[in-house]
Amino acid sequence: MTISAVDVIRAKRDGERLSDEQIDWVVAGYTDGTVAEEQMSALAMAILLRGMDGTETARWTQAMIDSGDRLALGGTGRPLVDKHSTGGVGDKISLPLAPLVAACGAAVPQLSGRGLGHTGGTLDKLESIPGWRAELSDEEIRAQLAEVGAVICATTPRLAPADRKLYALRDVTATVESIPLIASSIMSKKIAEGTEALVLDVKVGSGAFMKSPGRARELAVAMRDIASAHGLRCVALLTDMSVPLGRAVGNALEVAESVEVLRGGGPADVVELTVRLAGEMLALAGIEDVDPGEVLVSGAAHDVWRKMIAAQGGDPDAALPVARHVEPVVAERDGVLAGCDAYEIGVAAWRLGAGRARKEDPVDPAAGIRLLVDPGEKVVAGQPLLELHTNRPEVLPSVREDVARAVTLVDEPSRERAPLVLDRVS
Ligand code: URA
């Protein structure tokens, strides 16, 4: 039977299931240009509106994996385990987590992306370290995994190229939010990377893709189901992203905070989530006799961090970039800090220069926000609540207005911060 793009679009538009053959054909055709951009745009919108069931989503993922090559990362003598976060504000967890899990005996291949919009990208953060290089060859990734145990680097061009093209198209056609498309996009890259086990950190709240726990759970279940269909061991945690993680938002500021954590200090929420995710990763990797909390305070993870940075040309002792303008935002009255909205803080940091509007834009490594007060703390009028770091002084007046909206001061302590880990899907 001949398949045509119009028939595939019509079938999904009318709410039908797509067959394996239709999915294989349309994904391969889009990758090689036989299926036009406008046809894939229409299909992506039909999928967003009509959905795909678990079998269709697993096949779609397989077709995206088959559009490129798989990385063979085994043979290091250590179990391979990775973590993926759906992205949030101040989410620097990969930076302490990868060296920590490597220090506990696993190999962590973290192929990562750059940030777009109000959430930061792991590569952007690491690129604030002088000399550090994101692009590695397959051979370099393998060698570093064997020698150091942890690699954080850019995804290679041959890894799920269909996803690279489709993600860019979804970004400009309002079709990013489809759960089967998000799940297959993330999982195709992770399966093609060749990890043996995967822990997913699905963020929930104003600063996340998924604003409600129900949608986040749906995404976690969709990704877990794809993992099972591909024989990948997988656990997902749903974690709070209604307030930023830690006290630093912005590339170099987040690297500095991660190093504090690796030295045994740092904010309690960053430490808690790092250790919890490490525990989940080690359990999936079959490493049961090591306590990641103890390894973190022992300094062993910090040693791996230094090797991991140096192996990619970075100088772990170099000073990080500092912004020319650092200005406090003070409390307008006495009260208790009830909350600090993650989305507003993410957008404010982005406007200070920490993020990019288009994927080709540069980011300013020094720009960002440092939070000086935790939710639940009492403050007095005039006390600095946060610091704005920027090299664009002209944006400061309007960013001040944005952050004033982000911060809520109340008379009485209200609720405690929501628990960091809201749910677990295995
Ligand atoms: N991250 C991805 O890699 N893909 C998506 O579709 C959304 C977030």
Side-chain angles (χ1 to χ4, degrees):
M1 191 185 75
T2 345
I3 301 176
S4 80
V6 175
D7 289 341
V8 178
I9 298 164
R10 185 182 298 115
K12 190 42 79 184
R13 181 198 70 189
D14 295 344
E16 292 171 23
R17 276 197 76 257
L18 299 181
S19 68
D20 291 353
E21 294 71 27
Q22 284 175 317
I23 291 172
D24 293 350
W25 182 87
V26 84
V27 173
Y30 180 56
T31 312
D32 70 20
T34 320
V35 172
E37 296 286 345
E38 57 272 23
Q39 293 175 315
M40 189 49 107
S41 308
L43 181 58
M45 185 58 81
I47 291 172
L48 180 124
L49 296 172
R50 293 296 199 163
M52 284 201 290
D53 68 19
T55 321
E56 287 173 289
T57 308
R59 188 69 180 210
W60 187 278
T61 309
Q62 184 65 53
M64 300 234 283
I65 297 166
D66 293 343
S67 70
D69 302 329
R70 282 175 183 251
L71 266 177
L73 296 179
T76 59
R78 298 161 175 245
L80 281 165
V81 58
D82 194 2
K83 184 242 15 173
H84 178 84
S85 159
T86 56
V89 177
D91 183 3
K92 72 279 294 171
I93 299 292
S94 289
L95 276 53
L97 181 64
L100 172 59
V101 174
C104 295
V108 186
Q110 269 239 287
L111 274 58
S112 305
R114 291 197 161 71
L116 194 60
H118 72 280
T119 64
T122 300
L123 301 182
D124 296 322
K125 298 177 212 261
L126 287 167
E127 278 174 345
S128 61
I129 301 173
W132 188 84
R133 180 166 64 93
E135 263 81 33
L136 297 184
S137 67
D138 296 5
E139 209 30 68
E140 286 174 318
I141 296 174
R142 270 190 285 273
Q144 189 171 324
L145 267 186
E147 279 159 34
V148 181
V151 180
I152 303 179
C153 65
T155 52
T156 61
R158 291 291 306 150
L159 208 73
D163 176 63
R164 193 172 286 244
K165 226 177 142 182
L166 182 55
Y167 190 73
L169 181 73
R170 288 166 54 215
D171 203 27
V172 294
T173 55
T175 51
V176 169
E177 290 84 350
S178 152
I179 285 182
L181 291 181
I182 298 175
S184 55
S185 165
I186 292 171
M187 296 304 288
S188 62
K189 287 173 285 201
K190 291 295 164 189
I191 296 166
E193 163 195 289
T195 188
E196 293 159 355
L198 178 65
V199 174
L200 296 163
D201 181 3
V202 182
K203 299 284 182 206
V204 190
S206 76
F209 249 129
M210 298 293 150
K211 310 288 181 204
S212 74
R215 289 269 296 164
R217 203 181 151 78
E218 224 184 294
L219 176 62
V221 167
M223 292 195 283
R224 188 265 330 261
D225 289 349
I226 295 172
S228 334
H230 287 85
L232 176 65
R233 297 190 297 282
C234 178
V235 165
L237 298 185
L238 268 56
T239 68
D240 180 50
M241 187 31 71
S242 56
V243 295
L245 250 179
R247 288 180 156 211
V249 180
N251 301 300
L253 295 172
E254 293 191 42
V255 170
E257 188 167 272
S258 303
V259 173
E260 273 176 48
V261 170
L262 286 159
R263 288 197 167 125
D269 57 348
V270 179
V271 174
E272 180 189 337
L273 191 54
T274 303
V275 171
R276 175 70 196 267
L277 288 166
E280 295 284 356
M281 290 169 76
L282 294 171
L284 283 187
I287 299 175
E288 271 154 17
D289 49 350
V290 183
D291 177 343
E294 280 175 17
V295 173
L296 187 61
V297 292
S298 77
H302 188 233
D303 294 343
V304 177
W305 160 265
R306 294 177 60 81
K307 288 184 193 145
M308 180 180 92
I309 297 303
Q312 289 171 243
D315 177 357
D317 297 316
L320 294 167
V322 175
R324 286 191 299 280
H325 302 267
V326 178
E327 289 205 2
V329 173
V330 300
E332 284 174 359
R333 63 179 185 93
D334 294 357
V336 173
L337 182 71
C340 196
D341 183 79
Y343 176 73
E344 298 286 357
I345 293 291
V347 171
W350 172 72
R351 295 194 51 224
L352 291 168
R356 54 169 68 79
R358 292 171 311 160
K359 63 180 186 317
E360 45 291 333
D361 293 344
V363 297
D364 179 349
I369 295 180
R370 250 168 39 84
L371 309 169
L372 304 174
V373 175
D374 288 326
E377 262 184 60
K378 277 194 175 157
V379 296
V380 292
Q383 178 179 339
L385 296 176
L386 42 87
E387 273 171 7
L388 307 179
H389 292 235
T390 193
N391 291 311
R392 296 180 187 165
E394 68 283 4
V395 303
L396 282 167
S398 64
V399 170
R400 277 178 179 286
E401 285 175 23
D402 291 350
V403 296
R405 262 201 315 277
V407 169
T408 315
L409 288 178
V410 293
D411 293 328
E412 296 296 328
S414 48
R415 63 183 178 93
E416 295 283 303
R417 185 185 166 159
L420 200 47
V421 179
L422 305 166
D423 202 355
R424 181 176 185 275
V425 174
S426 61

